[in-house]
């Protein structure tokens, strides 16, 4: 009981509900449209509106950016509904310094590009459709995350 409280001081039920909703949403997207809801492609296709570099102007980004923006808007709207409807309204904060968030964000973005997809694309959609390369990508993501978290805890403590 103490172990569970230390890992999940606010309870675990909302994490389970969130995971079920994410799985249902990406599954529904695939079943109804045949599209895969990975967020790194949503990010790149959104940038294709404003960045004219050849990478962002690939047909795979420009041809799909309409539905991907609607998909991303649904994620933002879902977070807003959660905040307004299911929390006390107090803003969440972190004690992590801004520079660490920026460096971490850079490495996550670089890793998503290097791995040809992000954790949502590989971890939710790829594993859900039993793709072996996605299993390798998720195992790599997780091993890197465990190693990085442990090294950061030792260096920054």
């Amino acid at each position: 009981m103490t172990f569970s409280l230390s890992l999940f001081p606010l309870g675990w039920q909302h994490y389970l509900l969130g995971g079920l909703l994410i799985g249902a949403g990406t599954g529904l997207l695939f079943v109804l449209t045949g599209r895969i809801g990975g967020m790194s492609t949503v990010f790149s296709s959104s940038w294709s509106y404003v960045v004219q570099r050849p990478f962002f102007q690939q047909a795979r980004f420009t041809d799909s950016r309409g539905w991907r923006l609607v998909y991303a808007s649904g994620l933002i709207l879902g977070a807003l509904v959660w905040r307004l409807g299911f929390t006390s309204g107090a803003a969440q904060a972190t004690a992590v310094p801004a520079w660490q968030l920026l460096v971490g964000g850079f490495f996550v973005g670089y890793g998503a590009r290097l791995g040809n997809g992000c954790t949502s694309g590989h971890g939710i959609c790829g594993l859900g459709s039993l793709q072996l390369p996605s299993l390798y990508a998720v195992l790599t993501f997780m091993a890197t995350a465990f190693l990085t978290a442990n090294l950061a805890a030792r260096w920054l403590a």
Side-chain angles (χ1 to χ4, degrees):
M1 183 71 166
T2 305
F3 179 72
S4 176
L5 288 176
S6 67
L7 285 178
F8 305 106
L10 301 176
W12 54 268
Q13 294 84 356
H14 59 286
Y15 296 110
L16 176 61
L17 178 61
L20 291 172
L21 288 173
I22 290 169
T26 56
L28 202 58
L29 176 69
F30 184 75
V31 168
L32 295 178
T33 67
R35 297 175 173 153
I36 296 174
M39 290 309 297
S40 63
T41 307
V42 169
F43 182 76
S44 297
S45 67
S46 298
W47 275 107
S48 73
Y49 280 110
V50 294
V51 178
Q52 297 306 311
R53 295 185 63 154
F55 175 80
F56 292 105
Q57 295 305 313
Q58 294 178 63
R60 68 183 178 127
F61 297 139
T62 58
D63 294 350
S64 65
R65 62 187 178 189
W67 76 264
R68 291 185 190 279
L69 278 179
V70 171
Y71 185 69
S73 299
L75 294 172
I76 294 166
L77 182 62
L80 181 65
V81 167
W82 175 262
R83 174 134 193 271
L84 296 176
F86 298 101
T87 66
S88 63
Q92 301 262 330
T94 182
V96 177
W99 73 268
Q100 288 179 3
L101 294 173
L102 287 171
V103 169
F106 172 79
F107 281 120
V108 168
Y110 179 75
R113 187 58 42 225
L114 185 66
N116 200 23
C118 59
T119 53
S120 60
H122 286 298
I124 298 169
C125 302
L127 289 181
S129 59
L130 302 177
Q131 295 180 14
L132 192 58
S134 288
L135 176 61
Y136 296 145
V138 170
L139 292 173
T140 302
F141 293 156
M142 296 306 293
T144 304
F146 292 149
L147 179 64
T148 303
N150 281 291
L151 287 175
R154 292 190 198 305
W155 279 348
L156 302 173

